[in-house]
Each structure stands twice: as structure tokens, then as C-alpha cells.
Amino acid sequence: MIDRRALRAEILLVLGVSLGASAVYSIIRIVDRLTYVAPLSQQTATLNPTVVADRPWLDLIYQLYYIASPLIPALLAVHLLRRDHVPLDIGLDRARPLGDLWRGAALAALIGLPGLGLVWAAQQLGISARIVPEALGTHWWSVPVLILSAVENGVLEEVVMIGYLLTRLRELGWATWPAIATSAVIRGSYHLYQGFGGFIGNFVMGLVFGYFFRRTGRVMPLIVAHSILDIVSFVGYALLKDHLGFLS
């Protein structure tokens, strides 16, 4: 028999040490942006900033720390599911590598192409800050760090917001679409620091990913898709910003 009270507390604690806390921070951040002297459209949101530009070796250590530490909540979520013999039910395995890869690539294309249009439209409408995908500089480790950062985002968000949260909400008896919508709202909320375009785009992404998970029961293609999207964004910007004037 499920202890619903304990399960609700577990969900709040997992979110509270991970993306739920990020959502609260982003809500505070968007209030800050909206009440700032400069309009939202003239502000900048840097996704992968440098920390100590004058000491690249120390900056690398910081970057690796910022990549590794957010994975702990994802590991916690997997541990809690494993304790209840659930992890295989979320498709977090390597049983179908080719299928996960092509499905992930297809999802990335489905989300990524309209997403570029949404980013442009949001900035034109003045409801989004200017997004700078990276500002690490031209070090030997910059591209590898950006790739690792992209994979970390994919693992954390899809394991916690899709695999873990949707599984736990189903155990609590939630219907499919209210659970998916709740996950999508949280996903959009922790991107509010980018502006309302970030919220809308990630909310839609959360709906698509949640529906896919409910249909297939596999989180691995979502990790692949999310990682591809962020790799293209981060690394593409790093490689092209000095050659395409509209990116700088």
C-alpha cells in the first residue's frame, strides 16, 4: 500500500533540492528583470558564463563542479526509484541504443526547429532577454565543457522532471495530462530567468516530452534529444559567434 503522505513529501524534497528550487529562483529573477531600469529585451541571460576569466585552470575546475553537482539530485531520484524497483520502468537503460538515438534525434529536430523561431519571435516582441548560450572563451577545454554541460542538463531535467516526477504522480493517482502539464509548468518556470519566451518554449517541450514518455515509457530518448538540442545551441554559438554578426 502506498503511503501517499510520505510520497508527497519525497517529491517535494527531491524538487526542493533540484529543479523546484531553480524554478523559485527563476521566478524571483524574472521579477528582478521586469522591475529593472532597462527593458527585458535589452537584458542578457548567459547560460554558460565564465567564472574567473583571469585563471583558466580554476575556471575549468568551477565549470566541472557546476556540471557534476546538479547530477546528485538525478542520482537521488534514480536511487529512490530503484529502492522501489522502478528504474527499468522509466527506460533508463541501454537496452535499445539505436532506437533511443534515432528517436532522440527526431525529437530534437521536432523541438529545435520551431524553437529557433520562438526565440526570435520572443525577442522581437520584447518578452525575452537576449540569450547568450556560452561565454567561456577560447580555451582547449571550452567545447568539451559545453558538451558535458549539455549532457548534464539532459540527464538532470529528463530524469527528475519526466522519469521521476511523472512516475511518482502516477503512483499518487494523477491523471495523465494533469501530471504532464504540472511537469511542463515547472520546466517552464525554471527557465523564466531567460524571459517569457524561455517559459513558453520549455513548457511546450515539457508537454511533448511528457506525452512521449507516457506513450513509450522510455526516458533515454529524451536525454538524447535534450543533449542534442543543448550541444547544437552551446557549441554552435561558440563556433559561429565570431563569423556571424547577428550572434554577437
PDB file of all heavy atoms in Angstrom, residues 128-158:
ATOM      1  N   SER A 128      11.504  38.529 -23.985  1.00  0.00           N
ATOM      2  CA  SER A 128      12.618  37.651 -23.660  1.00  0.00           C
ATOM      3  C   SER A 128      13.893  38.466 -23.586  1.00  0.00           C
ATOM      4  O   SER A 128      14.066  39.439 -24.329  1.00  0.00           O
ATOM      5  CB  SER A 128      12.770  36.542 -24.705  1.00  0.00           C
ATOM      6  OG  SER A 128      13.902  35.727 -24.415  1.00  0.00           O
ATOM      7  N   ALA A 129      14.787  38.054 -22.690  1.00  0.00           N
ATOM      8  CA  ALA A 129      16.114  38.640 -22.673  1.00  0.00           C
ATOM      9  C   ALA A 129      16.917  38.097 -23.856  1.00  0.00           C
ATOM     10  O   ALA A 129      16.545  37.100 -24.472  1.00  0.00           O
ATOM     11  CB  ALA A 129      16.820  38.301 -21.363  1.00  0.00           C
ATOM     12  N   ARG A 130      18.007  38.737 -24.176  1.00  0.00           N
ATOM     13  CA  ARG A 130      18.906  38.223 -25.215  1.00  0.00           C
ATOM     14  C   ARG A 130      19.649  37.023 -24.643  1.00  0.00           C
ATOM     15  O   ARG A 130      20.293  37.117 -23.604  1.00  0.00           O
ATOM     16  CB  ARG A 130      19.890  39.298 -25.655  1.00  0.00           C
ATOM     17  CG  ARG A 130      20.920  38.806 -26.659  1.00  0.00           C
ATOM     18  CD  ARG A 130      21.794  39.942 -27.161  1.00  0.00           C
ATOM     19  NE  ARG A 130      22.879  39.432 -27.986  1.00  0.00           N
ATOM     20  CZ  ARG A 130      24.089  39.129 -27.516  1.00  0.00           C
ATOM     21  NH1 ARG A 130      24.371  39.303 -26.225  1.00  0.00           N
ATOM     22  NH2 ARG A 130      25.018  38.669 -28.327  1.00  0.00           N
ATOM     23  N   ILE A 131      19.537  35.886 -25.317  1.00  0.00           N
ATOM     24  CA  ILE A 131      20.150  34.656 -24.827  1.00  0.00           C
ATOM     25  C   ILE A 131      21.564  34.528 -25.373  1.00  0.00           C
ATOM     26  O   ILE A 131      21.781  34.569 -26.593  1.00  0.00           O
ATOM     27  CB  ILE A 131      19.323  33.417 -25.243  1.00  0.00           C
ATOM     28  CG1 ILE A 131      17.857  33.590 -24.858  1.00  0.00           C
ATOM     29  CG2 ILE A 131      19.903  32.159 -24.623  1.00  0.00           C
ATOM     30  CD1 ILE A 131      17.625  33.776 -23.382  1.00  0.00           C
ATOM     31  N   VAL A 132      22.530  34.375 -24.485  1.00  0.00           N
ATOM     32  CA  VAL A 132      23.920  34.109 -24.862  1.00  0.00           C
ATOM     33  C   VAL A 132      24.239  32.686 -24.398  1.00  0.00           C
ATOM     34  O   VAL A 132      24.416  32.442 -23.201  1.00  0.00           O
ATOM     35  CB  VAL A 132      24.886  35.117 -24.206  1.00  0.00           C
ATOM     36  CG1 VAL A 132      26.336  34.794 -24.570  1.00  0.00           C
ATOM     37  CG2 VAL A 132      24.537  36.535 -24.643  1.00  0.00           C
ATOM     38  N   PRO A 133      24.295  31.720 -25.315  1.00  0.00           N
ATOM     39  CA  PRO A 133      24.458  30.318 -24.904  1.00  0.00           C
ATOM     40  C   PRO A 133      25.756  30.003 -24.185  1.00  0.00           C
ATOM     41  O   PRO A 133      25.806  29.066 -23.389  1.00  0.00           O
ATOM     42  CB  PRO A 133      24.368  29.554 -26.238  1.00  0.00           C
ATOM     43  CG  PRO A 133      23.548  30.437 -27.118  1.00  0.00           C
ATOM     44  CD  PRO A 133      23.976  31.826 -26.753  1.00  0.00           C
ATOM     45  N   GLU A 134      26.823  30.757 -24.475  1.00  0.00           N
ATOM     46  CA  GLU A 134      28.072  30.491 -23.761  1.00  0.00           C
ATOM     47  C   GLU A 134      28.972  31.714 -23.807  1.00  0.00           C
ATOM     48  O   GLU A 134      28.912  32.522 -24.729  1.00  0.00           O
ATOM     49  CB  GLU A 134      28.793  29.269 -24.344  1.00  0.00           C
ATOM     50  CG  GLU A 134      29.366  29.465 -25.728  1.00  0.00           C
ATOM     51  CD  GLU A 134      30.755  30.093 -25.719  1.00  0.00           C
ATOM     52  OE1 GLU A 134      31.504  29.892 -24.749  1.00  0.00           O
ATOM     53  OE2 GLU A 134      31.086  30.785 -26.705  1.00  0.00           O
ATOM     54  N   ALA A 135      29.831  31.816 -22.774  1.00  0.00           N
ATOM     55  CA  ALA A 135      30.817  32.898 -22.702  1.00  0.00           C
ATOM     56  C   ALA A 135      32.059  32.391 -21.982  1.00  0.00           C
ATOM     57  O   ALA A 135      32.554  33.013 -21.046  1.00  0.00           O
ATOM     58  CB  ALA A 135      30.226  34.114 -21.995  1.00  0.00           C
ATOM     59  N   LEU A 136      32.549  31.236 -22.414  1.00  0.00           N
ATOM     60  CA  LEU A 136      33.678  30.599 -21.731  1.00  0.00           C
ATOM     61  C   LEU A 136      35.026  31.055 -22.252  1.00  0.00           C
ATOM     62  O   LEU A 136      36.052  30.827 -21.598  1.00  0.00           O
ATOM     63  CB  LEU A 136      33.588  29.071 -21.869  1.00  0.00           C
ATOM     64  CG  LEU A 136      32.398  28.384 -21.198  1.00  0.00           C
ATOM     65  CD1 LEU A 136      32.486  26.875 -21.393  1.00  0.00           C
ATOM     66  CD2 LEU A 136      32.348  28.724 -19.712  1.00  0.00           C
ATOM     67  N   GLY A 137      35.056  31.649 -23.426  1.00  0.00           N
ATOM     68  CA  GLY A 137      36.335  31.985 -24.026  1.00  0.00           C
ATOM     69  C   GLY A 137      36.849  30.847 -24.906  1.00  0.00           C
ATOM     70  O   GLY A 137      36.223  29.786 -25.005  1.00  0.00           O
ATOM     71  N   THR A 138      38.005  31.052 -25.509  1.00  0.00           N
ATOM     72  CA  THR A 138      38.542  30.078 -26.470  1.00  0.00           C
ATOM     73  C   THR A 138      39.652  29.254 -25.831  1.00  0.00           C
ATOM     74  O   THR A 138      40.823  29.349 -26.210  1.00  0.00           O
ATOM     75  CB  THR A 138      39.067  30.795 -27.715  1.00  0.00           C
ATOM     76  OG1 THR A 138      40.028  31.789 -27.312  1.00  0.00           O
ATOM     77  CG2 THR A 138      37.937  31.465 -28.480  1.00  0.00           C
ATOM     78  N   HIS A 139      39.286  28.439 -24.856  1.00  0.00           N
ATOM     79  CA  HIS A 139      40.251  27.540 -24.210  1.00  0.00           C
ATOM     80  C   HIS A 139      40.168  26.159 -24.845  1.00  0.00           C
ATOM     81  O   HIS A 139      39.173  25.818 -25.497  1.00  0.00           O
ATOM     82  CB  HIS A 139      39.955  27.439 -22.715  1.00  0.00           C
ATOM     83  CG  HIS A 139      39.842  28.777 -22.037  1.00  0.00           C
ATOM     84  ND1 HIS A 139      40.903  29.648 -21.918  1.00  0.00           N
ATOM     85  CD2 HIS A 139      38.785  29.407 -21.445  1.00  0.00           C
ATOM     86  CE1 HIS A 139      40.514  30.746 -21.292  1.00  0.00           C
ATOM     87  NE2 HIS A 139      39.236  30.623 -20.991  1.00  0.00           N
ATOM     88  N   TRP A 140      41.182  25.338 -24.625  1.00  0.00           N
ATOM     89  CA  TRP A 140      41.179  23.980 -25.175  1.00  0.00           C
ATOM     90  C   TRP A 140      40.030  23.160 -24.618  1.00  0.00           C
ATOM     91  O   TRP A 140      39.540  22.232 -25.257  1.00  0.00           O
ATOM     92  CB  TRP A 140      42.518  23.291 -24.887  1.00  0.00           C
ATOM     93  CG  TRP A 140      42.783  23.036 -23.418  1.00  0.00           C
ATOM     94  CD1 TRP A 140      43.491  23.833 -22.569  1.00  0.00           C
ATOM     95  CD2 TRP A 140      42.340  21.923 -22.643  1.00  0.00           C
ATOM     96  NE1 TRP A 140      43.520  23.297 -21.306  1.00  0.00           N
ATOM     97  CE2 TRP A 140      42.827  22.115 -21.320  1.00  0.00           C
ATOM     98  CE3 TRP A 140      41.590  20.787 -22.922  1.00  0.00           C
ATOM     99  CZ2 TRP A 140      42.580  21.206 -20.293  1.00  0.00           C
ATOM    100  CZ3 TRP A 140      41.342  19.882 -21.897  1.00  0.00           C
ATOM    101  CH2 TRP A 140      41.831  20.102 -20.607  1.00  0.00           C
ATOM    102  N   TRP A 141      39.566  23.535 -23.435  1.00  0.00           N
ATOM    103  CA  TRP A 141      38.531  22.752 -22.768  1.00  0.00           C
ATOM    104  C   TRP A 141      37.122  23.314 -22.980  1.00  0.00           C
ATOM    105  O   TRP A 141      36.150  22.713 -22.511  1.00  0.00           O
ATOM    106  CB  TRP A 141      38.801  22.673 -21.262  1.00  0.00           C
ATOM    107  CG  TRP A 141      39.147  23.977 -20.588  1.00  0.00           C
ATOM    108  CD1 TRP A 141      40.389  24.434 -20.275  1.00  0.00           C
ATOM    109  CD2 TRP A 141      38.230  24.999 -20.135  1.00  0.00           C
ATOM    110  NE1 TRP A 141      40.322  25.662 -19.653  1.00  0.00           N
ATOM    111  CE2 TRP A 141      39.004  26.032 -19.549  1.00  0.00           C
ATOM    112  CE3 TRP A 141      36.844  25.129 -20.164  1.00  0.00           C
ATOM    113  CZ2 TRP A 141      38.433  27.179 -19.001  1.00  0.00           C
ATOM    114  CZ3 TRP A 141      36.269  26.273 -19.629  1.00  0.00           C
ATOM    115  CH2 TRP A 141      37.063  27.284 -19.054  1.00  0.00           C
ATOM    116  N   SER A 142      36.982  24.410 -23.685  1.00  0.00           N
ATOM    117  CA  SER A 142      35.672  25.073 -23.791  1.00  0.00           C
ATOM    118  C   SER A 142      34.611  24.178 -24.434  1.00  0.00           C
ATOM    119  O   SER A 142      33.512  24.004 -23.898  1.00  0.00           O
ATOM    120  CB  SER A 142      35.790  26.385 -24.574  1.00  0.00           C
ATOM    121  OG  SER A 142      36.603  27.313 -23.887  1.00  0.00           O
ATOM    122  N   VAL A 143      34.911  23.611 -25.601  1.00  0.00           N
ATOM    123  CA  VAL A 143      33.920  22.780 -26.287  1.00  0.00           C
ATOM    124  C   VAL A 143      33.602  21.512 -25.498  1.00  0.00           C
ATOM    125  O   VAL A 143      32.422  21.171 -25.329  1.00  0.00           O
ATOM    126  CB  VAL A 143      34.387  22.452 -27.722  1.00  0.00           C
ATOM    127  CG1 VAL A 143      33.498  21.370 -28.347  1.00  0.00           C
ATOM    128  CG2 VAL A 143      34.345  23.711 -28.582  1.00  0.00           C
ATOM    129  N   PRO A 144      34.608  20.766 -24.980  1.00  0.00           N
ATOM    130  CA  PRO A 144      34.262  19.608 -24.142  1.00  0.00           C
ATOM    131  C   PRO A 144      33.387  19.958 -22.950  1.00  0.00           C
ATOM    132  O   PRO A 144      32.450  19.219 -22.609  1.00  0.00           O
ATOM    133  CB  PRO A 144      35.626  19.066 -23.690  1.00  0.00           C
ATOM    134  CG  PRO A 144      36.575  19.487 -24.759  1.00  0.00           C
ATOM    135  CD  PRO A 144      36.074  20.827 -25.219  1.00  0.00           C
ATOM    136  N   VAL A 145      33.654  21.106 -22.309  1.00  0.00           N
ATOM    137  CA  VAL A 145      32.840  21.524 -21.161  1.00  0.00           C
ATOM    138  C   VAL A 145      31.414  21.840 -21.608  1.00  0.00           C
ATOM    139  O   VAL A 145      30.443  21.485 -20.916  1.00  0.00           O
ATOM    140  CB  VAL A 145      33.482  22.737 -20.454  1.00  0.00           C
ATOM    141  CG1 VAL A 145      32.467  23.471 -19.577  1.00  0.00           C
ATOM    142  CG2 VAL A 145      34.657  22.276 -19.594  1.00  0.00           C
ATOM    143  N   LEU A 146      31.263  22.473 -22.750  1.00  0.00           N
ATOM    144  CA  LEU A 146      29.921  22.782 -23.252  1.00  0.00           C
ATOM    145  C   LEU A 146      29.147  21.504 -23.559  1.00  0.00           C
ATOM    146  O   LEU A 146      27.942  21.418 -23.285  1.00  0.00           O
ATOM    147  CB  LEU A 146      30.014  23.659 -24.495  1.00  0.00           C
ATOM    148  CG  LEU A 146      30.504  25.091 -24.263  1.00  0.00           C
ATOM    149  CD1 LEU A 146      30.737  25.797 -25.594  1.00  0.00           C
ATOM    150  CD2 LEU A 146      29.528  25.875 -23.401  1.00  0.00           C
ATOM    151  N   ILE A 147      29.827  20.503 -24.112  1.00  0.00           N
ATOM    152  CA  ILE A 147      29.171  19.222 -24.388  1.00  0.00           C
ATOM    153  C   ILE A 147      28.764  18.551 -23.086  1.00  0.00           C
ATOM    154  O   ILE A 147      27.629  18.043 -22.957  1.00  0.00           O
ATOM    155  CB  ILE A 147      30.093  18.308 -25.214  1.00  0.00           C
ATOM    156  CG1 ILE A 147      30.291  18.900 -26.617  1.00  0.00           C
ATOM    157  CG2 ILE A 147      29.519  16.897 -25.309  1.00  0.00           C
ATOM    158  CD1 ILE A 147      31.326  18.180 -27.452  1.00  0.00           C
ATOM    159  N   LEU A 148      29.658  18.544 -22.107  1.00  0.00           N
ATOM    160  CA  LEU A 148      29.320  17.953 -20.807  1.00  0.00           C
ATOM    161  C   LEU A 148      28.170  18.696 -20.143  1.00  0.00           C
ATOM    162  O   LEU A 148      27.286  18.077 -19.533  1.00  0.00           O
ATOM    163  CB  LEU A 148      30.550  17.966 -19.893  1.00  0.00           C
ATOM    164  CG  LEU A 148      31.679  17.002 -20.249  1.00  0.00           C
ATOM    165  CD1 LEU A 148      32.880  17.231 -19.322  1.00  0.00           C
ATOM    166  CD2 LEU A 148      31.203  15.545 -20.140  1.00  0.00           C
ATOM    167  N   SER A 149      28.163  20.007 -20.266  1.00  0.00           N
ATOM    168  CA  SER A 149      27.078  20.804 -19.691  1.00  0.00           C
ATOM    169  C   SER A 149      25.748  20.452 -20.340  1.00  0.00           C
ATOM    170  O   SER A 149      24.714  20.345 -19.662  1.00  0.00           O
ATOM    171  CB  SER A 149      27.379  22.293 -19.877  1.00  0.00           C
ATOM    172  OG  SER A 149      26.327  23.096 -19.382  1.00  0.00           O
ATOM    173  N   ALA A 150      25.760  20.265 -21.655  1.00  0.00           N
ATOM    174  CA  ALA A 150      24.539  19.901 -22.370  1.00  0.00           C
ATOM    175  C   ALA A 150      24.019  18.539 -21.915  1.00  0.00           C
ATOM    176  O   ALA A 150      22.815  18.366 -21.670  1.00  0.00           O
ATOM    177  CB  ALA A 150      24.810  19.886 -23.881  1.00  0.00           C
ATOM    178  N   VAL A 151      24.914  17.575 -21.767  1.00  0.00           N
ATOM    179  CA  VAL A 151      24.502  16.236 -21.325  1.00  0.00           C
ATOM    180  C   VAL A 151      23.988  16.281 -19.890  1.00  0.00           C
ATOM    181  O   VAL A 151      22.994  15.635 -19.549  1.00  0.00           O
ATOM    182  CB  VAL A 151      25.672  15.243 -21.460  1.00  0.00           C
ATOM    183  CG1 VAL A 151      25.302  13.886 -20.863  1.00  0.00           C
ATOM    184  CG2 VAL A 151      26.064  15.077 -22.933  1.00  0.00           C
ATOM    185  N   GLU A 152      24.650  17.073 -19.063  1.00  0.00           N
ATOM    186  CA  GLU A 152      24.185  17.212 -17.669  1.00  0.00           C
ATOM    187  C   GLU A 152      22.775  17.772 -17.612  1.00  0.00           C
ATOM    188  O   GLU A 152      21.919  17.290 -16.856  1.00  0.00           O
ATOM    189  CB  GLU A 152      25.146  18.126 -16.906  1.00  0.00           C
ATOM    190  CG  GLU A 152      24.701  18.455 -15.482  1.00  0.00           C
ATOM    191  CD  GLU A 152      23.989  19.796 -15.396  1.00  0.00           C
ATOM    192  OE1 GLU A 152      24.543  20.795 -15.863  1.00  0.00           O
ATOM    193  OE2 GLU A 152      22.856  19.819 -14.858  1.00  0.00           O
ATOM    194  N   ASN A 153      22.485  18.781 -18.439  1.00  0.00           N
ATOM    195  CA  ASN A 153      21.131  19.331 -18.487  1.00  0.00           C
ATOM    196  C   ASN A 153      20.124  18.259 -18.888  1.00  0.00           C
ATOM    197  O   ASN A 153      19.037  18.157 -18.301  1.00  0.00           O
ATOM    198  CB  ASN A 153      21.061  20.489 -19.491  1.00  0.00           C
ATOM    199  CG  ASN A 153      21.784  21.729 -19.015  1.00  0.00           C
ATOM    200  OD1 ASN A 153      22.072  21.884 -17.833  1.00  0.00           O
ATOM    201  ND2 ASN A 153      22.091  22.626 -19.941  1.00  0.00           N
ATOM    202  N   GLY A 154      20.478  17.475 -19.901  1.00  0.00           N
ATOM    203  CA  GLY A 154      19.577  16.422 -20.362  1.00  0.00           C
ATOM    204  C   GLY A 154      19.304  15.384 -19.302  1.00  0.00           C
ATOM    205  O   GLY A 154      18.154  14.989 -19.076  1.00  0.00           O
ATOM    206  N   VAL A 155      20.358  14.930 -18.632  1.00  0.00           N
ATOM    207  CA  VAL A 155      20.193  13.903 -17.604  1.00  0.00           C
ATOM    208  C   VAL A 155      19.368  14.435 -16.439  1.00  0.00           C
ATOM    209  O   VAL A 155      18.387  13.812 -16.005  1.00  0.00           O
ATOM    210  CB  VAL A 155      21.571  13.407 -17.107  1.00  0.00           C
ATOM    211  CG1 VAL A 155      21.412  12.499 -15.890  1.00  0.00           C
ATOM    212  CG2 VAL A 155      22.299  12.662 -18.226  1.00  0.00           C
ATOM    213  N   LEU A 156      19.750  15.593 -15.901  1.00  0.00           N
ATOM    214  CA  LEU A 156      19.048  16.137 -14.733  1.00  0.00           C
ATOM    215  C   LEU A 156      17.576  16.384 -15.026  1.00  0.00           C
ATOM    216  O   LEU A 156      16.684  15.910 -14.302  1.00  0.00           O
ATOM    217  CB  LEU A 156      19.711  17.443 -14.296  1.00  0.00           C
ATOM    218  CG  LEU A 156      18.978  18.221 -13.189  1.00  0.00           C
ATOM    219  CD1 LEU A 156      18.923  17.413 -11.908  1.00  0.00           C
ATOM    220  CD2 LEU A 156      19.645  19.575 -12.948  1.00  0.00           C
ATOM    221  N   GLU A 157      17.297  17.112 -16.090  1.00  0.00           N
ATOM    222  CA  GLU A 157      15.911  17.526 -16.338  1.00  0.00           C
ATOM    223  C   GLU A 157      15.020  16.355 -16.720  1.00  0.00           C
ATOM    224  O   GLU A 157      13.885  16.248 -16.237  1.00  0.00           O
ATOM    225  CB  GLU A 157      15.878  18.605 -17.420  1.00  0.00           C
ATOM    226  CG  GLU A 157      16.557  19.897 -16.978  1.00  0.00           C
ATOM    227  CD  GLU A 157      16.338  21.027 -17.965  1.00  0.00           C
ATOM    228  OE1 GLU A 157      15.230  21.139 -18.519  1.00  0.00           O
ATOM    229  OE2 GLU A 157      17.295  21.804 -18.192  1.00  0.00           O
ATOM    230  N   GLU A 158      15.511  15.465 -17.554  1.00  0.00           N
ATOM    231  CA  GLU A 158      14.632  14.382 -18.011  1.00  0.00           C
ATOM    232  C   GLU A 158      14.466  13.290 -16.962  1.00  0.00           C
ATOM    233  O   GLU A 158      13.390  12.714 -16.830  1.00  0.00           O
ATOM    234  CB  GLU A 158      15.143  13.800 -19.332  1.00  0.00           C
ATOM    235  CG  GLU A 158      15.351  14.832 -20.432  1.00  0.00           C
ATOM    236  CD  GLU A 158      14.242  15.869 -20.529  1.00  0.00           C
ATOM    237  OE1 GLU A 158      13.061  15.520 -20.314  1.00  0.00           O
ATOM    238  OE2 GLU A 158      14.555  17.040 -20.816  1.00  0.00           O
TER     239      GLU A 158
END
